[in-house]
Amino acid sequence: MRSDPGAKPELKWLNVDKLYIDSRYQRNTKSKASEKNLDYLKQSFSWAHCGALIVCFVPAEKKFAVIDGQHRLQAAIARKDIDSMPCLVVSGLDFEKQAKSFVAINTKRVQLNTLAAFHAALAAGDKAAASIKEILDECEVEIPRNPVLAGKTDPRQMQSPGTLTSLLGRYSRKHICWAITIIPEAFGEKKGMLRASLIKALTEFAKLTPDVDRGRMVKVLSGLDPFQLEVDARSYVSISGGTSTGAMVEAITRLYKNAGRKNAA
């Protein structure tokens, strides 16, 4: 049975002085994530990105409580050049209903996953996304538009655009491409091998080993279980410290050198 939508709200421009945040149900904005979001909104405020705040009039306060849009309001006030905000004014909401509306708005929305965010950034002309796309095209690897179950990605699919973003600037394009292309070369048609941790480790290995023998590394990788390598790396870090990437690089380097000695013998 469908619920009653209630009275149709009214769209108004309201002065920021007439808006307030009820801290009894609104989230705290002192976290690092909120502060980062507020700073971004303050510096990059755009009406095209703003949308209407959802508010309701509270007679006792003689102001409008903001149910959705707290960060946008605070960013607008901090700028000091915005005196009013577009608001969708909902009537008939007491305190309890305001809180319920806040919860519903912030828990029922579909979050934008990293894959969709990457493709949207690419369409928007984002420079980092464009650089990643160029690298992936060169490597004949793609980022799917929708999430794929862990371990089920095709041999030339990866789901970690954030990993490549973190590598840009720290490593050369040559090192990144080497890491991305040698994985499908070593594992063939096995699914789910283009894993973020393995890509990071191999990119670092390529940087540290400029004269790497690709054929030897293909043989080394083909005999590896990347999943177990990650588990072993985490166990090593829990005992000896360091990072998982560093532990994986150390293990791969040791296997690569051992393979070289065997070939020499």
Side-chain angles (χ1 to χ4, degrees), residues 123-186:
D126 181 81
K127 290 183 178 179
S131 296
I132 290 171
K133 184 64 164 59
E134 288 179 4
I135 290 173
L136 292 175
D137 286 347
E138 180 179 334
C139 298
E140 297 182 351
V141 168
E142 68 169 6
I143 291 178
R145 289 188 172 273
N146 299 304
V148 181
L149 288 175
K152 299 296 183 181
T153 50
D154 288 341
R156 288 190 171 273
Q157 278 187 332
M158 64 176 296
Q159 298 192 94
S160 49
T163 294
L164 298 185
T165 301
S166 70
L167 296 178
L168 291 174
R170 296 169 52 209
Y171 299 95
S172 71
R173 182 166 175 156
K174 177 182 177 181
H175 294 147
I176 297 172
C177 286
W178 184 89
I180 293 174
T181 56
I182 202 168
I183 294 173
E185 183 177 346

Side-chain angles (χ1 to χ4, degrees), residues 29-250:
T29 57
K30 298 300 183 182
S31 67
K32 288 185 178 180
S34 283
E35 289 178 355
K36 183 178 180 180
N37 188 34
L38 283 169
D39 185 62
Y40 171 79
L41 289 172
K42 178 182 174 181
Q43 301 299 327
S44 308
F45 192 93
S46 167
W47 291 120
H49 306 159
C50 180
L53 281 60
I54 299 178
V55 306
C56 71
F57 184 68
V58 179
E61 299 289 340
K62 296 181 180 179
K63 290 185 177 182
F64 294 82
V66 176
I67 299 170
D68 185 54
Q70 175 182 196
H71 288 87
R72 284 169 283 162
L73 173 62
Q74 291 185 348
I77 293 173
R79 284 178 60 93
K80 301 184 185 302
D81 62 346
I82 297 173
D83 58 8
S84 60
M85 298 289 285
C87 297
L88 198 64
V89 183
V90 183
S91 61
L93 296 185
D94 58 20
F95 173 75
E96 182 178 327
K97 290 179 179 178
Q98 292 172 40
K100 286 182 177 178
S101 294
F102 170 79
V103 172
I105 291 169
N106 287 281
T107 59
K108 300 302 181 182
R109 58 176 48 148
V110 177
Q111 297 294 322
L112 187 66
N113 64 62
T114 57
L115 306 183
F118 167 75
H119 287 289
L122 185 62
D126 181 81
K127 290 183 178 179
S131 296
I132 290 171
K133 184 64 164 59
E134 288 179 4
I135 290 173
L136 292 175
D137 286 347
E138 180 179 334
C139 298
E140 297 182 351
V141 168
E142 68 169 6
I143 291 178
R145 289 188 172 273
N146 299 304
V148 181
L149 288 175
K152 299 296 183 181
T153 50
D154 288 341
R156 288 190 171 273
Q157 278 187 332
M158 64 176 296
Q159 298 192 94
S160 49
T163 294
L164 298 185
T165 301
S166 70
L167 296 178
L168 291 174
R170 296 169 52 209
Y171 299 95
S172 71
R173 182 166 175 156
K174 177 182 177 181
H175 294 147
I176 297 172
C177 286
W178 184 89
I180 293 174
T181 56
I182 202 168
I183 294 173
E185 183 177 346
F187 294 106
E189 295 302 310
K190 288 184 180 179
K191 292 179 176 289
M193 294 295 107
L194 277 169
R195 300 173 62 80
S197 58
L198 187 58
I199 292 171
K200 287 190 287 187
L202 288 173
T203 302
E204 174 68 9
F205 174 84
K207 181 180 179 180
L208 296 174
T209 318
D211 58 345
V212 59
D213 183 316
R214 189 178 183 92
R216 190 203 308 178
M217 179 51 73
V218 167
K219 290 181 180 179
V220 168
L221 287 177
S222 63
L224 270 181
D225 180 346
F227 307 95
Q228 189 60 49
L229 182 63
E230 290 177 19
V231 172
D232 292 344
R234 287 194 293 269
S235 298
Y236 180 85
V237 169
S238 67
I239 297 171
S240 305
T243 66
S244 292
T245 298
M248 289 177 69
V249 172
E250 186 175 334

Side-chain angles (χ1 to χ4, degrees), residues 18-34:
K18 294 292 185 181
L19 303 171
Y20 80 102
I21 306 299
D22 194 323
S23 60
R24 289 175 294 175
Y25 61 81
Q26 284 284 355
R27 72 190 78 185
N28 188 298
T29 57
K30 298 300 183 182
S31 67
K32 288 185 178 180
S34 283

